[in-house]
Amino acid sequence: MAFYSGSLSSCASLATLLTTQCVANGWALSGNWLSKGSSYIEVTSDTYNVALKGALDSTGSTSPTSQNRTICLLAGDWPVSYYLFINSSPDTVVLVVQYGTLFIQHLMFGDIVKIHPLAFTGGNFLSGSSSSSTAGSEGQNPIPGQTIPRIYGNVLRSIDDNTILTTNNDPFDIDVPQSIPFVPGFPFIGNYNTSCAIFHAEIDGDLWSYTTNITYTAVTNSTYFRCPNLTNAQTTLVPLNLQRSSSSGLYMYLGYVEHVRLVRVDNYNIGDILTLSPDQWMIFPWRCKNIAFRNGDSTSYWSTITLTQTNTGTLGFAVRYTP
Amino acid sequence: MAYITGTVTGSGINDAASGHKMLLAAFNTFVTTGLGSGQNWTIKRNAVATVVSTGTNIEYIWQAPGLSGAEQIFMGLKAYQDPTADYYNLEIGVFTGYVSGNSFENQAGSSPIVGATLWNQSIQYWFVADGQRGIIVAKFSDIYEMIYIGKYLPYATPSQYPYPVYAFGSLANIGLLTRYSADLWWSSSNTYLGISASTYNGSNYPTPYGYMILSGFKGTSISSFLRDPAGLWLMPDIYPYAGITQIRNTASLSSSSVGYYSLHSIVISDKSPNVYGEFSGLYYITGFNNAVENTIVISGITYICFRDRRLTGFNDFIALRLS
């Protein structure tokens, strides 16, 4: 396990950091393609994006993903602080970027722990705070007519009836499907019914999942939404247990992400360390903490951007950390 | 943890060899002699009381040493019956202390007394116990009853939460005088509607009110109680059973494979913030294409599937760790 942190001033520098340190920790590099285990990841950059793409071989020629997932940064965001975590068994790489003091974006890729090695073909995934149809674009704009590719109004809604949630029991989605992996977008605004994670599971004719059919299990969702505890002010490190929907309406439990946990950040700030000996975990909000809107802002996403409309409430995550 | 399975041969009449009393005696032998050095429970009460018209009740109250060997965990079971109504059941209680002069139902810090249906004939059993908790599964007729007494595994440190105990069966205190054949117990009060009440014969509640008899492992029930850090006895939610998500195996629609199953943690929480922890040795497994008493082996440890009494739905199954 390795950890790197520092400050950089361009997307190209971030991409170089990512590939260089992955190679230093056992990943192979062929052109822009990193590979290790069952993960094959292309890392590219342009003025605004550091982009990830997946495939099923080390040259990217076999079944590449049709979409990218990116960190998207604008001119005023530089320089940024970065936190890079490279964990193994299974391989999981997490790049966290902090900018504008309060804001976070992530790139993440690797393998989940499957319920059984033969349960299904796949189990590798990639995730990024923004989605971009091409690495050369300014990132997929979440709101038609807007020019700044940031998330708006993360209203958490029930995936079953689209009601706005205050406490949550089952799969949820957000108005704009960015920042939180394995959370599908609310389909109300048309083509944005995507997840910021892309998951490889060859089940029922699927290859890559970009959208709503890979979600957190009910245990993960309910635990995430019922923390932190009033009794001791502590939160729970919630495993990212993943399930896949099927045409029968039933869900398949697939496994979990080993080195990342969901955390409510009510009582934590960016970079705080939580120690559960022998493990240490570094904590981040998914995009921007706002204690006033714990589950995200319910203000209309059509409104002018404000801090409260670009926040992810107290929804956050923790990455296994080895100083 | 220790484990044993067997069958007690009940007399079929209301005497000392009635099935429910034989089961209680076998469990007492197991937890007082079969758990290994430093883990066996101590008998605080082994009492016989004759009740006019219903025969002889037998009750045990134990003090368990905890996994540390230095704790004091109090819990008890009481066999009672009414041959004129053909019920032969157990009362279930967890306490904070033992008072020799007090009745079973009035011990110090007692949980609400809950119950489990049994009968007076032969009963097959599975016992799992250690120094801090005991689990009984009793099979008779087409019923599988489950009893849990003692500590669960809290998401908190001992200093934050020193006595995390749980008691569940299938009968609410107000429904103790119930025969095993019943799927509902009845009350003239609708006090418990909204807790575990069931609609009966359509959309209107009948009078008297009918309540589903469900195993306490599903929670949200007046047969299932947790002692919180403040010393209050709560009826928590238990996920995934409290959710609406239905889980299946991973078999592909296009594949002839049988699919893979996995265990999932069972998490105890409030409806509002507060996530308490998990049962020790119990896990969720789907009933999809599954059958009671099927086994699953993970890392050399065997888990056996049981169900909620006689129910066979997808979310009616539970796996017990046999070790």
Side-chain angles (χ1 to χ4, degrees):
Chain A
M1 293 187 282
F3 171 72
Y4 308 91
S5 63
S7 176
L8 289 172
S9 295
S10 71
C11 288
S13 300
L14 284 171
T16 300
L17 166 80
L18 189 55
T19 53
T20 301
Q21 299 303 355
C22 281
V23 168
N25 286 277
W27 288 70
L29 182 65
S30 174
N32 292 326
W33 287 85
L34 288 165
S35 59
K36 192 177 183 194
S38 59
S39 283
Y40 304 96
I41 298 291
E42 184 187 42
V43 182
T44 57
S45 65
D46 61 18
T47 303
Y48 299 110
N49 294 283
V50 182
L52 300 182
K53 197 170 187 177
L56 300 184
D57 72 355
S58 60
T59 63
S61 58
T62 304
S63 303
T65 57
S66 60
Q67 298 179 14
N68 297 325
R69 293 296 180 261
T70 74
I71 281 176
C72 185
L73 295 160
L74 303 180
D77 295 331
W78 303 102
V80 299
S81 299
Y82 68 83
Y83 310 82
L84 175 61
F85 307 82
I86 302 177
N87 289 312
S88 57
S89 301
D91 295 306
T92 310
V93 177
V94 182
L95 173 63
V96 178
V97 169
Q98 178 185 2
Y99 59 102
T101 307
L102 298 173
F103 291 93
I104 291 292
Q105 290 191 50
H106 78 271
L107 292 177
M108 189 185 307
F109 55 91
D111 294 319
I112 71 164
V113 178
K114 296 196 289 188
I115 62 168
H116 189 281
L118 303 177
F120 61 95
T121 300
N124 47 314
F125 72 99
L126 61 101
S127 176
S129 293
S130 300
S131 57
S132 169
S133 56
T134 68
S137 77
E138 198 178 280
Q140 180 173 305
N141 188 339
I143 303 296
Q146 297 282 345
T147 57
I148 301 176
R150 301 282 170 75
I151 60 169
Y152 297 71
N154 289 296
V155 184
L156 301 169
R157 297 175 187 270
S158 163
I159 204 168
D160 301 304
D161 59 10
N162 289 328
T163 54
I164 295 175
L165 297 166
T166 52
T167 61
N168 196 62
N169 300 338
D170 285 297
F172 64 96
D173 55 24
I174 56 179
D175 273 355
V176 178
Q178 300 198 348
S179 292
I180 308 178
F182 307 110
V183 177
F186 179 46
F188 178 72
I189 53 175
N191 294 326
Y192 304 98
N193 187 18
T194 58
S195 166
C196 75
I198 299 175
F199 190 85
H200 174 216
E202 298 184 22
I203 300 174
D204 295 348
D206 274 1
L207 183 64
W208 294 101
S209 168
Y210 303 92
T211 57
T212 60
N213 63 344
I214 305 288
T215 55
Y216 298 127
T217 66
V219 165
T220 291
N221 282 334
S222 62
T223 306
Y224 198 25
F225 274 76
R226 294 173 181 195
C227 285
N229 286 347
L230 299 176
T231 55
N232 59 5
Q234 299 291 314
T235 192
T236 303
L237 295 175
V238 186
L240 283 70
N241 293 302
L242 301 177
Q243 62 185 9
R244 181 191 183 280
S245 60
S246 66
S247 57
S248 60
L250 305 178
Y251 290 83
M252 309 170 189
Y253 177 42
L254 302 178
Y256 61 93
V257 179
E258 169 65 32
H259 300 295
V260 182
R261 296 287 187 272
L262 301 174
V263 175
R264 297 307 292 248
V265 296
D266 296 67
N267 304 319
Y268 296 101
N269 292 310
I270 292 173
D272 280 354
I273 305 295
L274 199 158
T275 300
L276 289 173
S277 183
D279 293 334
Q280 294 189 77
W281 300 81
M282 189 175 285
I283 294 176
F284 304 96
W286 281 114
R287 179 61 68 107
C288 177
K289 175 180 173 178
N290 188 341
I291 195 77
F293 296 90
R294 295 188 64 255
N295 290 338
D297 184 16
S298 60
T299 308
S300 169
Y301 39 80
W302 298 108
S303 303
T304 304
I305 302 167
T306 67
L307 172 63
T308 60
Q309 289 170 303
T310 57
N311 75 85
T312 41
T314 63
L315 298 164
F317 65 107
V319 188
R320 183 172 272 126
Y321 165 69
T322 305
Chain B
M1 291 188 287
Y3 151 70
I4 191 172
T5 184
T7 301
V8 292
T9 303
S11 63
I13 59 175
N14 181 29
D15 65 0
S18 172
H20 71 313
K21 294 176 186 175
M22 295 289 284
L23 182 81
L24 180 53
F27 184 70
N28 174 65
T29 300
F30 174 62
V31 297
T32 56
T33 64
L35 305 188
S37 176
Q39 297 290 291
N40 287 330
W41 302 3
T42 303
I43 296 175
K44 303 299 290 186
R45 175 180 294 177
N46 176 5
V48 175
T50 299
V51 180
V52 176
S53 82
T54 60
T56 302
N57 294 340
I58 296 176
E59 62 188 64
Y60 285 94
I61 295 176
W62 300 281
Q63 178 181 319
L67 299 182
S68 66
E71 300 168 56
Q72 294 180 322
I73 304 163
F74 298 92
M75 43 204 161
L77 296 171
K78 173 181 174 179
Y80 68 100
Q81 62 285 312
D82 185 344
T84 66
D86 195 30
Y87 65 75
Y88 301 83
N89 298 342
L90 292 182
E91 285 186 10
I92 302 161
V94 174
F95 320 110
T96 59
Y98 174 67
V99 181
S100 60
N102 285 11
S103 68
F104 184 92
E105 293 80 5
N106 290 290
Q107 287 299 309
S110 175
S111 65
I113 299 297
V114 296
T117 63
L118 294 171
W119 69 0
N120 60 0
Q121 302 176 58
S122 296
I123 300 171
Q124 186 176 355
Y125 63 82
W126 292 260
F127 297 153
V128 174
D130 57 21
Q132 63 178 6
R133 66 94 175 84
I135 301 171
I136 297 174
V137 176
K139 174 188 178 183
F140 57 99
S141 183
D142 61 344
I143 304 278
Y144 290 81
E145 283 281 2
M146 180 175 281
I147 295 169
Y148 188 103
I149 49 175
K151 278 194 169 182
Y152 69 97
L153 304 177
Y155 295 156
T157 63
S159 61
Q160 294 168 345
Y161 194 176
Y163 201 60
V165 290
Y166 209 106
F168 77 67
S170 61
L171 291 176
N173 181 267
I174 197 171
L176 290 175
L177 311 184
T178 300
R179 188 175 186 265
Y180 67 87
S181 56
D183 292 321
L184 298 167
W185 61 270
W186 301 91
S187 171
S188 59
S189 165
N190 66 354
T191 302
Y192 305 105
L193 296 181
I195 297 175
S196 62
S198 165
T199 55
Y200 184 69
N201 272 347
S203 59
N204 296 319
Y205 293 104
T207 302
Y209 300 92
Y211 298 88
M212 281 291 292
I213 299 174
L214 298 174
S215 182
F217 68 73
K218 290 179 171 175
T220 325
S221 163
I222 47 177
S223 63
S224 184
F225 285 92
L226 168 146
R227 186 179 188 274
D228 79 355
L232 302 174
W233 290 94
L234 309 176
M235 295 170 288
D237 273 1
I238 296 178
Y239 273 86
Y241 298 105
I244 60 173
T245 303
Q246 308 274 1
I247 297 290
R248 51 164 289 178
N249 62 10
T250 60
S252 168
L253 294 178
S254 58
S255 169
S256 59
S257 68
V258 296
Y260 284 83
Y261 293 81
S262 181
L263 309 179
H264 197 303
S265 50
I266 297 172
V267 176
I268 307 163
S269 70
D270 280 341
K271 290 184 183 301
S272 55
N274 282 327
V275 181
Y276 294 106
E278 303 175 20
F279 292 121
S280 174
L282 294 176
Y283 303 87
Y284 172 86
I285 192 166
T286 179
F288 184 95
N289 199 26
N290 198 357
V292 69
E293 296 186 42
N294 276 349
T295 57
I296 181 171
V297 179
I298 300 175
S299 300
I301 296 173
T302 301
Y303 302 78
I304 183 169
C305 299
F306 293 112
R307 67 189 189 207
D308 177 357
R309 304 189 83 239
R310 56 166 63 89
L311 301 178
T312 54
F314 297 139
N315 281 355
D316 292 324
F317 278 65
I318 192 167
L320 171 66
R321 175 180 170 136
L322 296 181
S323 68

